Amino acid sequence: NTGTVEEKLINIKEISKDVVTLLSSKAENNGVNLILNADDVVMKANSNYINELLYNLIDNGIKYNKHGGSVNINIYEDESFANIVVSDTGLGIPPEHRDRIFERFYRVDKSRSKETGGTGLGLSIVKHIVELYDGIINIQSANNKGTKITIQFPV
């Protein structure tokens, strides 16, 4: 029952601009370049949820990147979907971890958790929000080549 959550038409571009602004100093401190390419994409959703989803994805892209790396955020609409694509030039997710990264508090590299802080990837939250709006999430990742997460919401 999503009736209790306030949903209205939101512009994903505006939310993504806010999130990039919020995370820009963290990106700078980590030597990571944030690149946002966003069209005006409108969907009916709770803006806090979409904010949280973008925040988690971009934050991961910064945390698990390398100095001089970048996080590309592309937001666009096609015939049937609002698309959010976040790709980074970071460490990548080893294949054996890929099916587990949506678990709550799951961390790919437990030894790094102390230095990066946080409770896992936050992807369980992301997945929950995607499912709430009947979306699809797809992850492509290669070791040391980075990770690309594509989220598609039906429009």
Side-chain angles (χ1 to χ4, degrees), residues 51-150:
N51 187 303
E52 193 166 359
L53 176 138
L54 284 160
Y55 189 95
N56 276 313
L57 293 178
I58 298 167
D59 189 48
N60 283 340
I62 296 168
K63 268 198 299 207
Y64 298 98
N65 218 314
K66 50 180 181 268
H67 199 85
S70 60
V71 180
N72 280 285
I73 306 111
N74 289 303
I75 290 159
Y76 62 95
E77 202 171 322
D78 54 30
E79 295 75 49
S80 32
F81 294 105
N83 300 282
I84 297 172
V85 184
V86 177
S87 48
D88 66 56
T89 56
L91 305 167
I93 302 163
E96 66 272 19
H97 293 290
R98 263 171 235 165
D99 49 352
R100 297 195 56 202
I101 53 175
F102 293 111
E103 290 171 23
R104 216 166 152 205
F105 309 132
Y106 186 72
R107 286 206 191 88
V108 171
D109 181 352
K110 302 197 172 27
S111 65
R112 292 186 77 234
S113 61
K114 283 188 188 62
E115 94 190 42
T116 53
T119 50
L121 293 168
L123 288 176
S124 62
I125 298 164
V126 168
K127 188 173 193 215
H128 176 75
I129 294 167
V130 170
E131 286 171 351
L132 196 61
Y133 297 113
D134 301 318
I136 306 161
I137 186 165
N138 175 35
I139 295 192
Q140 293 164 284
S141 189
N143 273 355
N144 295 315
K145 291 204 177 81
T147 302
K148 177 180 177 183
I149 298 182
T150 305

